[in-house]
Amino acid sequence: MEITQGKIHIEIEKAKEGKQSAFNFLLNTFWNEVYGFQLKRTQNEYEAEDITIQTFSKAFDKLDTYKKEYKFNTWLIAISKNIHVDMLRKRASSIRSQMTVKDDEGVYKVPDENPTPEDALIKKQNLAQLLQYIKMLKPHYQEMINLRYFQEMSYKEMEESLNEPMNNVKVKLLRARRLLADIIQKAEG
Protein backbone atom coordinates (compact mmCIF):
# COMPACT_ATOMS: atom_id res chain seq x y z
CA MET A 1 0.00 0.00 0.00
CA GLU A 2 1.37 3.36 -1.02
CA ILE A 3 1.57 5.93 1.71
CA THR A 4 0.38 9.28 0.38
CA GLN A 5 0.97 12.76 1.77
CA GLY A 6 -2.75 12.84 2.53
CA LYS A 7 -2.51 9.67 4.66
CA ILE A 8 0.54 11.11 6.45
CA HIS A 9 -1.30 14.36 7.23
CA ILE A 10 -4.32 12.41 8.55
CA GLU A 11 -2.04 10.41 10.85
CA ILE A 12 -0.28 13.59 12.02
CA GLU A 13 -3.66 15.07 12.96
CA LYS A 14 -4.55 11.87 14.84
CA ALA A 15 -1.19 12.03 16.64
CA LYS A 16 -1.92 15.62 17.66
CA GLU A 17 -5.08 14.25 19.27
CA GLY A 18 -2.96 11.70 21.15
CA LYS A 19 -3.87 8.56 19.19
CA GLN A 20 -1.32 5.80 19.92
CA SER A 21 -1.80 4.15 16.53
CA ALA A 22 -0.84 7.40 14.77
CA PHE A 23 2.44 7.66 16.71
CA ASN A 24 3.16 4.01 15.80
CA PHE A 25 2.38 4.72 12.14
CA LEU A 26 4.68 7.76 11.99
CA LEU A 27 7.50 6.00 13.81
CA ASN A 28 7.27 2.86 11.67
CA THR A 29 6.89 4.80 8.41
CA PHE A 30 9.83 7.16 8.88
CA TRP A 31 12.22 5.31 11.23
CA ASN A 32 14.35 3.72 8.51
CA GLU A 33 14.71 6.98 6.59
CA VAL A 34 15.86 9.01 9.60
CA TYR A 35 18.04 6.19 10.94
CA GLY A 36 19.64 5.61 7.52
CA PHE A 37 20.31 9.32 7.15
CA GLN A 38 22.05 9.45 10.53
CA LEU A 39 23.95 6.22 9.94
CA LYS A 40 25.51 7.79 6.83
CA ARG A 41 26.39 10.93 8.79
CA THR A 42 27.73 9.31 11.95
CA GLN A 43 29.05 5.97 10.65
CA ASN A 44 28.05 4.63 14.07
CA GLU A 45 24.96 2.46 14.67
CA TYR A 46 24.60 3.42 18.33
CA GLU A 47 24.83 7.18 17.66
CA ALA A 48 22.51 6.93 14.65
CA GLU A 49 19.93 5.08 16.72
CA ASP A 50 20.26 7.49 19.64
CA ILE A 51 19.85 10.53 17.38
CA THR A 52 16.88 8.89 15.65
CA ILE A 53 15.19 8.25 19.01
CA GLN A 54 15.80 11.85 20.02
CA THR A 55 14.48 13.03 16.64
CA PHE A 56 11.15 11.26 17.09
CA SER A 57 10.99 12.30 20.73
CA LYS A 58 11.40 15.96 19.80
CA ALA A 59 9.12 15.67 16.75
CA PHE A 60 6.30 14.11 18.78
CA ASP A 61 6.74 16.76 21.45
CA LYS A 62 6.66 19.60 18.89
CA LEU A 63 4.13 18.08 16.47
CA ASP A 64 1.89 21.13 16.74
CA THR A 65 4.66 23.23 15.10
CA TYR A 66 4.75 21.08 11.95
CA LYS A 67 3.55 22.94 8.85
CA LYS A 68 1.72 20.96 6.16
CA GLU A 69 3.43 22.78 3.29
CA TYR A 70 6.61 20.81 4.09
CA LYS A 71 7.01 17.07 3.70
CA PHE A 72 6.98 15.37 7.08
CA ASN A 73 10.16 13.41 6.34
CA THR A 74 11.96 16.65 5.43
CA TRP A 75 10.88 18.13 8.76
CA LEU A 76 12.12 15.02 10.60
CA ILE A 77 15.48 15.12 8.78
CA ALA A 78 15.87 18.82 9.70
CA ILE A 79 15.25 17.98 13.37
CA SER A 80 17.68 15.08 13.08
CA LYS A 81 20.38 17.30 11.54
CA ASN A 82 19.96 19.88 14.29
CA ILE A 83 20.22 17.25 17.01
CA HIS A 84 23.39 15.87 15.42
CA VAL A 85 24.95 19.34 15.03
CA ASP A 86 24.10 20.17 18.65
CA MET A 87 25.65 16.89 19.73
CA LEU A 88 28.85 17.62 17.81
CA ARG A 89 29.05 21.13 19.26
CA LYS A 90 28.62 19.86 22.79
CA ARG A 91 31.19 17.17 22.23
CA ALA A 92 33.63 19.71 20.79
CA SER A 93 33.16 22.05 23.70
CA SER A 94 33.53 19.14 26.16
CA ILE A 95 30.45 20.20 28.11
CA ARG A 96 28.99 16.70 27.81
CA SER A 97 29.69 13.69 25.65
CA GLN A 98 26.06 12.73 25.13
CA MET A 99 23.14 14.94 24.36
CA THR A 100 19.70 14.52 25.84
CA VAL A 101 16.58 16.42 25.00
CA LYS A 102 16.27 19.11 27.68
CA ASP A 103 12.80 20.35 26.86
CA ASP A 104 10.78 18.18 29.22
CA GLU A 105 8.14 20.85 29.72
CA GLY A 106 4.78 19.81 28.41
CA VAL A 107 5.87 16.30 27.46
CA TYR A 108 3.59 15.23 24.65
CA LYS A 109 1.08 12.78 26.04
CA VAL A 110 1.19 9.45 24.25
CA PRO A 111 -1.70 7.53 25.77
CA ASP A 112 -1.19 3.83 26.35
CA GLU A 113 -4.77 2.81 26.98
CA ASN A 114 -5.42 0.12 24.36
CA PRO A 115 -3.10 -2.73 23.44
CA THR A 116 -1.43 -2.21 20.10
CA PRO A 117 -1.16 -5.06 17.57
CA GLU A 118 2.42 -5.46 18.78
CA ASP A 119 1.21 -5.76 22.40
CA ALA A 120 -1.34 -8.41 21.45
CA LEU A 121 1.27 -10.42 19.53
CA ILE A 122 3.77 -10.16 22.40
CA LYS A 123 1.21 -11.24 25.02
CA LYS A 124 0.07 -14.34 23.15
CA GLN A 125 3.57 -15.87 23.14
CA ASN A 126 4.44 -18.47 25.74
CA LEU A 127 6.98 -17.13 28.22
CA ALA A 128 9.94 -19.34 27.29
CA GLN A 129 9.56 -18.57 23.59
CA LEU A 130 9.00 -14.89 24.28
CA LEU A 131 12.21 -14.70 26.32
CA GLN A 132 14.13 -16.23 23.41
CA TYR A 133 12.70 -13.60 21.08
CA ILE A 134 13.50 -10.80 23.52
CA LYS A 135 17.12 -11.98 23.68
CA MET A 136 17.34 -11.33 19.92
CA LEU A 137 16.85 -7.58 20.56
CA LYS A 138 19.68 -5.17 21.30
CA PRO A 139 20.32 -4.89 25.06
CA HIS A 140 18.72 -1.45 25.49
CA TYR A 141 15.54 -2.68 23.79
CA GLN A 142 15.56 -5.81 25.98
CA GLU A 143 15.69 -3.49 28.97
CA MET A 144 12.70 -1.47 27.73
CA ILE A 145 10.59 -4.63 27.29
CA ASN A 146 11.72 -5.96 30.66
CA LEU A 147 10.88 -2.75 32.54
CA ARG A 148 7.48 -2.31 30.90
CA TYR A 149 6.16 -5.87 30.67
CA PHE A 150 7.97 -7.89 33.33
CA GLN A 151 8.53 -5.24 36.00
CA GLU A 152 5.29 -3.50 34.94
CA MET A 153 6.77 -0.03 35.38
CA SER A 154 4.85 3.06 34.34
CA TYR A 155 6.41 5.51 31.88
CA LYS A 156 7.22 7.77 34.83
CA GLU A 157 8.97 4.96 36.71
CA MET A 158 10.90 4.02 33.57
CA GLU A 159 11.92 7.66 33.08
CA GLU A 160 13.31 7.77 36.61
CA SER A 161 14.94 4.33 36.44
CA LEU A 162 16.66 5.04 33.12
CA ASN A 163 17.35 8.71 33.91
CA GLU A 164 16.06 9.66 30.45
CA PRO A 165 13.47 12.16 29.26
CA MET A 166 9.91 10.84 29.05
CA ASN A 167 9.69 11.18 25.27
CA ASN A 168 12.89 9.15 24.79
CA VAL A 169 11.40 6.40 26.96
CA LYS A 170 8.19 6.40 24.93
CA VAL A 171 9.95 6.32 21.56
CA LYS A 172 12.37 3.58 22.66
CA LEU A 173 9.48 1.47 23.95
CA LEU A 174 7.52 1.96 20.71
CA ARG A 175 10.59 0.89 18.75
CA ALA A 176 11.31 -2.09 21.03
CA ARG A 177 7.74 -3.36 20.67
CA ARG A 178 7.86 -2.98 16.88
CA LEU A 179 11.18 -4.85 16.61
CA LEU A 180 9.96 -7.62 18.92
CA ALA A 181 6.71 -7.97 16.96
CA ASP A 182 8.75 -8.21 13.74
CA ILE A 183 10.93 -10.97 15.24
CA ILE A 184 7.85 -12.90 16.37
CA GLN A 185 6.14 -12.56 13.00
CA LYS A 186 9.25 -13.74 11.10
CA ALA A 187 9.69 -16.70 13.44
CA GLU A 188 6.08 -17.78 13.09
CA GLY A 189 6.22 -17.11 9.38
Side-chain angles (χ1 to χ4, degrees), residues 1-169:
M1 180 179 96
E2 185 182 336
I3 299 172
T4 64
Q5 282 299 107
K7 168 76 172 150
I8 292 166
H9 290 299
I10 289 169
E11 294 298 324
I12 289 168
E13 290 305 314
K14 287 180 185 176
K16 287 178 181 179
E17 295 168 8
K19 302 264 191 263
Q20 180 73 34
S21 62
F23 288 105
N24 287 341
F25 171 84
L26 295 170
L27 184 72
N28 293 335
T29 301
F30 295 103
W31 177 272
N32 288 342
E33 187 173 350
V34 176
Y35 175 77
F37 173 79
Q38 280 303 331
L39 190 57
K40 285 178 187 170
R41 285 176 68 107
T42 64
Q43 300 292 305
N44 179 305
E45 288 182 19
Y46 175 78
E47 276 188 25
E49 191 169 49
D50 190 45
I51 293 168
T52 304
I53 287 167
Q54 290 181 43
T55 298
F56 281 95
S57 175
K58 185 169 261 184
F60 290 166
D61 190 40
K62 304 291 184 187
L63 206 51
D64 56 336
T65 67
Y66 169 70
K67 293 180 175 61
K68 282 186 179 181
E69 58 265 21
Y70 302 106
K71 285 189 167 187
F72 190 68
N73 59 338
T74 304
W75 186 67
L76 286 172
I77 294 295
I79 292 170
S80 180
K81 280 182 188 176
N82 290 339
I83 289 171
H84 185 229
V85 167
D86 287 348
M87 191 171 87
L88 292 174
R89 283 184 186 143
K90 286 184 182 197
R91 202 178 277 157
S93 65
S94 298
I95 294 173
R96 290 197 318 203
S97 64
Q98 290 187 2
M99 178 188 163
T100 59
V101 179
K102 289 188 173 202
D103 187 9
D104 279 339
E105 296 176 344
V107 170
Y108 203 85
K109 305 287 186 252
V110 180
D112 196 32
E113 49 210 44
N114 296 320
T116 65
E118 291 89 0
D119 289 332
L121 195 58
I122 291 167
K123 285 181 181 174
K124 90 173 197 186
Q125 298 302 306
N126 75 45
L127 186 58
Q129 185 63 57
L130 181 60
L131 291 173
Q132 283 184 321
Y133 292 146
I134 291 170
K135 287 180 182 176
M136 297 169 81
L137 295 170
K138 290 182 179 177
H140 59 280
Y141 289 137
Q142 290 179 30
E143 182 178 28
M144 299 305 291
I145 296 291
N146 177 38
L147 294 175
R148 184 68 174 165
Y149 294 101
F150 294 100
Q151 296 184 33
E152 298 181 348
M153 286 188 175
S154 68
Y155 284 132
K156 186 71 178 154
E157 292 168 329
M158 290 173 72
E159 172 189 37
E160 291 167 3
S161 171
L162 297 168
N163 195 28
E164 286 201 38
M166 179 71 73
N167 275 355
N168 285 14
V169 169

Side-chain angles (χ1 to χ4, degrees), residues 177-188:
R177 288 194 307 223
R178 177 75 250 159
L179 292 172
L180 184 57
D182 288 347
I183 289 169
I184 293 168
Q185 287 174 331
K186 284 179 187 166
E188 296 186 353

